[in-house]
Amino acid sequence: MNTRVTDILGTKYPLIQGGMAWVADARLAAAVSNGGGLGLVAAGSMDAELLRKEIRLAQSLTDKPFGVNIMLMNPHAPDLAKVVIEEKVSVVTTGAGSPGKYVEAWKAAGVKVIPVIASTGLAKRMESLGVDAVVAEGCEAGGHIGELTTMALVPQVVDSVSIPVIAAGGIADGRGIAAVSMLGASGIQVGTRFLASEECTIHQNYKDLVVKARDIDSRVTGRSGGHPVRCIKNPLVAELLELEKKGASFEEMEAITVGSLRKAVKDGDLREGSFMAGQIAGMVGEILPVTVIIEKMFAEYEAVVRSGGAI
Ligand code: TUI
């Protein structure tokens, strides 16, 4: 495929892997890049030295381009931003904030910059700073989310900016790609589908939860504190929802969520882990190799487009 996004990324397909903190390590990133998408090493849980190590490991596992995701709430973000430049990473995506103060240095170093945004306002601000594209992520997505659905967000962002828009949130098959292409997106970001991949190194309990999840099994906690997060429902999520109903403070909620993503990913702790996943987990029914996932998605996309899909 040849699109504005494949031109920017240097990939076979206009697909970026989600920058899933704790989840997306060098192995997953290299598998996605080898499969024709843009793999990302997610630095959400890393400090500068660990990121450097993971980047070098990814470089040893693929000769294709890959990127780094910087979660801007990570206190190490300023150092991580420098590592991206020093290690000559080709693409950086950012999440959970505005990367404004880093954009100039990244662009000067030739790094392609693609912030994840959840509103037209931030998309426009990012375009004015000279970023290469934006990922418009709807609240169907897993993890930290905004307010708008993919269906409402993507066309509004497409109308607000001239740079390419990559759609995220709720996309796990070829129908999803076709749908967001009709909304004006030039590419897709996929997270949840890759949780249930052979190359993903998360605990087996996490993969099993994603495969077993029904459409209605995710919940959003933390809206009251301004940090909404979507996870698969479990005892921790039930407790958070109860606390929130009782008007608990941000600090009280924080006390039981601290370290919970690590507990999910590393320990498979079904009670106390945060199993972040998108609403589309209900459609993910089997663990497959990354290459099969990507090839299947784009073959389905071609078939849907050929069929016309008219209503
Ligand atoms: O960043 C994400 N998703 C994430 S980050 C993450 S790590 C985490 N761990 C524990 C608790 C909370 C998070 C898990 N999932 N997606 C990208 C994304 N960015 N979605 C929404 C946004 C966003 C929201 C508001 C970006 C910018 C923004 O406003 C910033 C501003 O200054 O206007």
Side-chain angles (χ1 to χ4, degrees), residues 21 71 73 95-98 116 118 122 125 137 143-144 229 276:
M71 204 277 282
M73 293 192 299
S98 167
V116 179
L122 192 56
R125 254 163 61 211
E137 187 182 270
H144 179 72
V229 173
M276 296 181 183

Side-chain angles (χ1 to χ4, degrees), residues 19-22 44 69 71 73 94-98 116-119 122 125 137 142-146 189 227-229 257 260-261 276:
M20 300 170 283
W22 281 103
N69 172 267
M71 204 277 282
M73 293 192 299
T94 62
S98 167
V116 179
I117 54 89
S119 65
L122 192 56
R125 254 163 61 211
E137 187 182 270
H144 179 72
I145 51 173
Q189 180 188 277
H227 290 288
V229 173
T257 49
S260 60
L261 181 54
M276 296 181 183

